[in-house]
Amino acid sequence: MKITNIGSGNMGGALIKGWAKAGLAKDLTITARTQQTLDRLSELYPDITATLDNREAVSNADIVVIAVKSWLVEQVI
């Protein structure tokens, strides 16, 4: 099962941490607004696939989680 998490801030970061601890890191693709955030999370969880491109991230996903503030949803979809 491939999971894509759009947004890696407080809410998305908590989900990512939980999934990684549950052993799902190899099946997880994450996106963020900045490369700096992706670099930080990739350092903590090296098996995660990280990208700035939301379209690329969802292309092979079975599940897509949108973990951004409500007023940003339209921008990331």
Side-chain angles (χ1 to χ4, degrees):
M1 171 177 52
K2 300 286 185 183
I3 302 170
T4 293
N5 193 77
I6 305 293
S8 299
N10 291 328
M11 183 172 45
L15 292 169
I16 293 162
K17 180 180 178 181
W19 288 323
K21 286 187 176 189
L24 298 174
K26 290 184 180 184
D27 295 321
L28 186 59
T29 300
I30 65 170
T31 69
R33 201 169 23 179
T34 67
Q35 186 64 48
Q36 181 180 5
T37 299
L38 293 178
D39 291 344
R40 179 179 51 83
L41 290 168
S42 293
E43 187 175 311
L44 291 172
Y45 312 109
D47 291 334
I48 289 175
T49 302
T51 180
L52 293 171
D53 187 341
N54 291 339
R55 288 179 194 229
E56 175 187 334
V58 301
S59 64
N60 293 317
D62 296 312
I63 297 171
V64 176
V65 177
I66 301 174
V68 299
K69 293 179 174 99
S70 59
W71 62 85
L72 297 174
V73 171
E74 274 190 52
Q75 292 177 5
V76 301
I77 292 184

